[in-house]
Amino acid sequence: MEKKLKNKIIETKNLSVNYAGVKALSDVSAYFKEESIIGIIGTNGSGKSTLLKSIFGFTPIVEGEILKDGKKYDLSPHKLVESKISFVPQGRQIFSSMSVEENIEMGAVSIKNKKEYQENLTEVYKIFPFLEKNKDKISAELSGGQQQQLAIARGLIIKPRLLLLDEPTIGLSPDIVKDVFKKIKEINQKQKTTIVIVEHNLKTLFEITKHIFLMDKGILVAEGSPKEIKDSGILDKIFLAN
């Protein structure tokens, strides 16, 4: 039997974006298929994070469009969350004076049904048992890696179809990086969540992704499987030239 092709959850078409008065994206056409883990890579200032922020409505679009399930969608924050899109920004950005569970609850503003919230929380704690054991602990007392787990858990509480992660391993030790990537893979496999990751740790990223988009100076310069990207030699050209 022929395997059913996965649909594109998000697609950008000829997307151009200005960010802080500068053209940050130019004519970018990319797509993210259901239930996949997709990586976005490039040098600093290449437009990786801007692409994620654009999908989440944080940047003004100059030209082009962004489609969800083949249609234009409302880019206002509450509508994005209601449509099951979560964004975990760079730098964790947890509420340090709140407890672990209070932080997770802050991501659940779109959930009106108490039963749904409790069911989702149970699923989140299955993936992050450490957080359940420490649910009453003040978040500032967690280590950097634990805080990153908390930031991802907060994004997961709505049970998103699409999870956008901006540099989830930045500033973490190599052992903690492995743990974070292991959790990301587990989320994808258990919850069938489509995950798009902006990441500088290419070696580990390439081990868990199905597809890679390579950006340079706001332009999408290559895409393909991790093997195709590595074998093409373009990584050396981009990273050694900058």
Side-chain angles (χ1 to χ4, degrees):
M1 185 181 290
E2 186 179 349
K3 189 175 180 180
K4 183 182 176 184
L5 292 175
K6 290 183 171 57
N7 296 323
K8 300 170 185 175
I9 287 188
I10 294 290
E11 186 174 8
T12 69
K13 290 189 173 184
N14 309 111
L15 186 67
S16 293
V17 164
N18 285 351
Y19 190 67
V22 178
K23 196 163 193 179
L25 297 179
S26 182
D27 198 31
V28 173
S29 294
Y31 56 90
F32 309 121
K33 290 187 176 181
E34 280 185 309
E35 301 179 16
S36 300
I37 303 179
I38 303 108
I40 303 175
I41 64 173
T43 56
N44 290 337
S46 62
K48 310 182 299 295
S49 294
T50 302
L51 181 54
L52 281 199
K53 289 174 182 175
S54 299
I55 292 167
F56 207 69
F58 285 160
T59 57
I61 295 172
V62 176
E63 293 176 353
E65 59 185 0
I66 307 174
L67 306 177
K68 177 178 174 286
D69 297 318
K71 300 175 182 177
K72 287 187 178 181
Y73 63 101
D74 192 333
L75 289 169
S76 55
H78 70 283
K79 287 294 184 183
L80 287 162
V81 175
E82 285 174 6
S83 65
K84 303 296 184 184
I85 300 177
S86 278
F87 177 60
V88 180
Q90 187 181 137
R92 299 186 271 281
Q93 298 185 25
I94 62 164
F95 299 96
S96 57
S97 62
M98 291 183 177
S99 72
V100 165
E101 192 156 300
E102 286 171 337
N103 261 276
I104 296 172
E105 191 175 352
M106 290 297 289
V109 289
S110 66
I111 301 176
K112 308 303 180 189
N113 185 301
K114 233 178 211 183
K115 184 182 177 186
E116 181 186 353
Y117 170 73
Q118 287 299 329
E119 288 174 350
N120 288 6
L121 185 62
T122 298
E123 290 299 312
V124 167
Y125 281 153
K126 281 181 183 176
I127 294 171
F128 297 105
F130 168 85
L131 297 180
E132 183 175 21
K133 289 177 185 174
N134 293 273
K135 62 184 179 181
D136 297 320
K137 193 170 187 176
I138 297 301
S139 302
E141 298 174 7
L142 302 180
S143 69
Q146 291 162 354
Q147 288 182 3
Q148 185 60 68
Q149 288 188 31
L150 177 56
I152 295 172
R154 188 175 60 203
L156 277 184
I157 191 61
I158 64 167
K159 211 164 186 180
R161 286 182 65 206
L162 176 65
L163 179 64
L164 308 171
L165 301 176
D166 192 1
E167 297 279 10
T169 68
I170 194 166
L172 302 179
S173 69
D175 285 344
I176 301 300
V177 167
K178 287 181 182 177
D179 288 342
V180 170
F181 273 108
K182 185 179 177 181
K183 291 298 182 185
I184 290 169
K185 191 172 180 179
E186 185 179 346
I187 291 163
N188 170 254
Q189 291 176 340
K190 287 188 174 179
Q191 298 199 346
K192 306 302 180 186
T193 306
T194 303
I195 302 175
V196 183
I197 314 172
V198 165
E199 181 58 51
H200 65 282
N201 191 317
L202 302 189
K203 183 179 182 297
T204 315
L205 181 71
F206 280 19
E207 291 173 358
I208 67 166
T209 48
K210 295 277 186 183
H211 204 79
I212 296 288
F213 290 97
L214 174 61
M215 300 191 67
D216 184 43
K217 299 180 177 67
I219 298 169
L220 181 60
V221 294
E223 66 163 289
S225 69
K227 185 178 188 308
E228 288 170 338
I229 294 293
K230 283 188 286 188
D231 291 349
S232 70
I234 196 168
L235 289 176
D236 289 340
K237 290 178 184 176
I238 296 296
F239 284 92
L240 294 178
N242 285 275

